[in-house]
Structures are given as structure tokens and as C-alpha cells.
Amino acid sequence: MKTGALIIGLGAALPSRRLTNQELEKLVDTSDEWITQRTGIKERRIVGPGESNSKLAVKAARQALERAGISPEELDLIIVGTLTPDYLMPSVAVLVQKELGAHRAGAFDLSATCSGFIYGLAVADQFVRVDPERKILVIGSEVLSKKVNWQDRTTCVLFGDGAGAAVVTGSYNENRGLLSAHLHADGSLWHLLTLKGCGSLYPPCGDELPLEEYYIRMQGREVFKNAVRAMETVALEALSANDLSPEDIDLVVPHQANIRIIEYLRERLGLPREKVFVNLHKYGNTSAASIPIALAEAQEEGRLNPGDLVLMVAFGGGFTWASALMRW
Ligand code: UT7
């Protein structure tokens, strides 16, 4: 029987260092009140000495594997959604493969910004539909604190570091697993959210590019407008493709960028607060890591149970946006 991807183990890893809004008040012209009201974020986690993207990814992966009851040698593939790899080469995925000792697994990074985890899940789904025995690790991992301009109050208050991981395999049950994934992109709006420096067009030591372009830059209001529209549309697309309606959903796990975006989505779907998972206040926006971290926490809180209908929705730079509907 060829059925879709099922998540059988989840894990998360967050740096121990907490950076609060009050600490940011000392760095830039901002306030706890502004950040809380405009974003919903109270604190975020920031890597310290000895911590890195790949180390967080490995920690999250080990937890996910243990919970799935799978050994690293059983893995066929490792996919890491990230925009902040340790190095441009090699990928985070191969560092994870080495550290886990996942000798049989292929490994690659996937660049789809905040939609990276859902894109990765959609790729894994294609593999397990061909062979449901495949075991795939899908990770979202970011160290955004190293790519944030700590003098730019319009971005530095938003982002955080962390990793989340999911072990995926075939479901062997038509009523469980990934029902659909919808992936979208609009490259014509790429300039609204960028990290230009250190690619091959603008190498690190070049002097053609202003220093601020070596950090994340965002036209926040424009991104916001596109995010609310796209997340609602792609959420409804998932429901309509499966002949389901919002009241069928047990839990929405949205990308954690701004509480106002999440609230807008919740209102448009007509859902009560308890059906939408939020941990943004603790971690800020962790890009590709936000959904797998949220899934891992939702499960720990007993909010993800077999048979639940779970809707994941993401939006990020590119633009990319995506939804995944899974019967847990
Ligand atoms: O994960 C990828 C997707 N990313 C997103 O979805 C993020 C989408 N955008 C947003 O979440 C919001 O646009 C932001 C949180 C980034 C900004 O909120 P906003 O309500 O859209 O604020 P704004 O950019 O329109 O700025 C309003 C005012 C400005 O001052 P003036 O020009 O009105 O005097 C900003 O300079 O707020 C000011 N401002 C700040 N004030 C205090 C901007 N950042 C800050 C700050 N502290 N940190």
C-alpha cells in the first residue's frame, strides 16, 4: 500500500541563553511594550560559545530518533531546511549525518526560508510514497542571531535560534499521514526580505555592498501584508483539496513570525485559541525551525494525538509559502 508520510518522532533543541526584550532595550531604541504589542515576542534564544546550527540540529535529531525508536543506521535520507548553515560548504545535513553515524543516509540542505520544514516534508513524502519503508529525517535549524544586524531595531527584535526535527516514514494506513502539501513561491518579491552578503555575487571581502546588506533586511509592513494573505489562502487550499472545513482541524501549527499574523489566520479560519499553537513569545521567529519546534512542544503538551487533523502553514522570504495537512 502506498500511503503518505507519517511523522513518528519529534525533537527540538534550543540554546540555553535567553535574550529578553528588556535586554534589547539596552541595545537599540525599542521597548518591551512595542515588541510585545507589535509582535507577541517576549524573549528569544541565542547561541553561545560552542553552539552552532549543526549542533542544535544533531541534538533535535537525536531526540526525534529516540522518540521514534529508530537508530541512525536505519535512516535513508536527511533533509535540513535552513538559511543559516554553519558553512556554505559542506551542508548542515552532512554534518548531522556524520555526527549521528547515519552511514546509509543521503543528506542535503534545502533553501526555502521559513517554509523550509514544510518543503522538506513534501520532499520526504515523495520518497515514502515510492517506498513506505524509507526513514527520513526532516530538520529545520537556524542560527539567525549571527545574521541579524544588532543595530537595526526593525529586525533584531524578531529572530531567534533553534532546531526542530521529525522522523518521517510511510504510514501504511490510508487514514493517517500527510493528506496534502501545497508549495508556492513568488520570486518577483524577493527584494522585500533579503540576506545578500556572502553569496557568490557579493563575497565576504568585497566592498561593493553596504555593510548592512550582510545581515537580514526586511520591509516589514510589506512582508506582513503578503504573509497574512498567503497564509490564509494556502490554509484554505489545503482544506478544500481534502474536502475538509476549518472546524475539522484539531490543531493549526503556523510559522511563528508575528502573533498578529497568527491571530489573523485564526480569525479567518474561525477557530478558538486552543486550536492554534503559539510559542512565539519564548523563541521569536526561528524561520525553518519554528514549525518542527512547535510540533515537538505541542506533542509534549499532549496536544498532538493519533487521529488528530493537523494543519501546518508557513510563509517566508523569497517569497515562499506552504501548507501541509496531516492526519496524526
Ligand atoms: O518569517 C518571515 C516572515 N516575516 C514576517 O512575517 C514578518 C512580517 N512583518 C512584521 O511582523 C511586522 O511588519 C514588524 C513586526 C516587522 C513591524 O511591525 P509594524 O507594525 O509593521 O511596524 P512598522 O514597520 O510599520 O513600523 C512602525 C513604527 C515605525 O516608526 P515610524 O516610522 O512610524 O515613526 C518603526 O520605525 O515602529 C517603528 N519600529 C520600532 N519601534 C520600536 C520598528 N521597529 C521597532 C522596534 N521598536 N523594534
Side-chain angles (χ1 to χ4, degrees):
M1 196 198 323
K2 296 201 168 155
T3 48
L6 185 69
I7 293 177
I8 57 166
L10 286 162
L14 280 312
S16 49
R17 163 89 167 98
R18 287 184 158 81
L19 182 66
T20 63
N21 290 351
Q22 286 74 16
E23 286 173 89
L24 282 169
E25 286 176 353
K26 293 174 198 144
L27 272 184
V28 285
D29 180 16
T30 191
S31 65
D32 173 45
E33 190 191 359
W34 191 95
I35 302 170
T36 306
Q37 279 180 4
R38 305 309 294 166
T39 74
I41 301 165
K42 297 299 284 182
E43 58 183 40
R44 64 290 291 140
R45 300 295 182 89
I46 302 292
V47 292
E51 290 177 314
S52 68
N53 184 320
S54 63
K55 285 186 176 163
L56 291 170
V58 167
K59 201 170 167 193
R62 286 207 169 109
Q63 192 175 55
L65 286 165
E66 195 186 312
R67 289 174 174 174
I70 296 285
S71 73
E73 295 79 24
E74 291 176 79
L75 287 172
D76 296 287
L77 185 63
I78 299 171
I79 305 171
V80 180
T82 189
L83 64 96
T84 52
D86 291 4
Y87 314 110
L88 281 181
M89 182 173 71
S91 65
V92 176
V94 301
L95 299 174
V96 172
Q97 189 253 11
K98 172 199 144 262
E99 209 53 43
L100 293 177
H103 308 293
R104 291 180 49 251
F108 64 90
D109 286 2
L110 184 152
S111 174
T113 65
C114 307
S115 311
F117 179 76
I118 297 182
Y119 268 60
L121 199 55
V123 174
D125 184 56
Q126 298 302 312
F127 278 91
V128 300
R129 278 179 196 275
V130 174
D131 176 4
E133 278 298 301
R134 295 266 165 98
K135 312 261 182 313
I136 303 176
L137 195 52
V138 183
I139 301 174
S141 186
E142 304 283 10
V143 174
L144 292 154
S145 62
K146 302 283 185 186
K147 294 292 178 183
V148 153
N149 179 352
W150 291 103
Q151 292 172 353
D152 176 7
R153 70 174 183 171
T154 68
T155 52
C156 77
V157 303
L158 303 174
F159 298 101
D161 304 337
V167 179
V168 171
T169 190
S171 94
Y172 285 109
N173 178 342
E174 274 168 17
N175 300 319
R176 291 185 73 194
L178 193 69
L179 304 180
S180 65
H182 290 90
L183 313 183
H184 295 282
D186 183 357
S188 71
L189 297 173
W190 71 271
H191 54 280
L192 295 174
L193 181 44
T194 58
L195 175 44
K196 290 186 188 167
C198 292
S200 58
L201 190 57
Y202 298 110
C205 298
D207 52 8
E208 304 137 79
L209 199 64
L211 191 59
E212 54 269 25
E213 298 285 9
Y214 286 85
Y215 300 102
I216 294 169
R217 299 197 72 193
M218 175 164 71
Q219 293 181 38
R221 208 174 295 181
E222 287 308 309
V223 176
F224 187 98
K225 278 194 257 172
N226 282 279
V228 287
R229 205 179 307 131
M231 284 178 68
E232 177 191 357
T233 310
V234 79
L236 294 175
E237 186 179 15
L239 292 170
S240 128
N242 292 284
D243 276 329
L244 292 163
S245 46
E247 49 271 30
D248 295 316
I249 301 172
D250 294 295
L251 192 66
V252 180
V253 180
H255 171 50
Q256 310 280 313
N258 187 315
I259 193 64
R260 291 183 292 135
I261 297 175
I262 296 173
E263 272 295 293
Y264 180 89
L265 178 67
R266 184 184 71 76
E267 279 166 22
R268 300 299 290 181
L269 294 176
L271 293 174
R273 287 217 161 79
E274 62 269 20
K275 285 199 170 189
V276 179
F277 192 83
V278 177
N279 61 5
L280 172 80
H281 50 291
K282 295 190 288 185
Y283 308 132
N285 180 346
T286 58
S287 192
S290 90
I291 289 181
I293 293 171
L295 288 171
E297 288 202 342
Q299 192 159 53
E300 280 165 20
E301 292 173 20
R303 293 171 69 183
L304 269 186
N305 296 298
D308 282 355
L309 187 67
V310 180
L311 176 64
M312 302 165 228
V313 192
F315 179 90
F319 290 137
T320 65
W321 63 102
S323 63
L325 195 60
M326 186 171 277
R327 179 71 69 186
W328 214 259

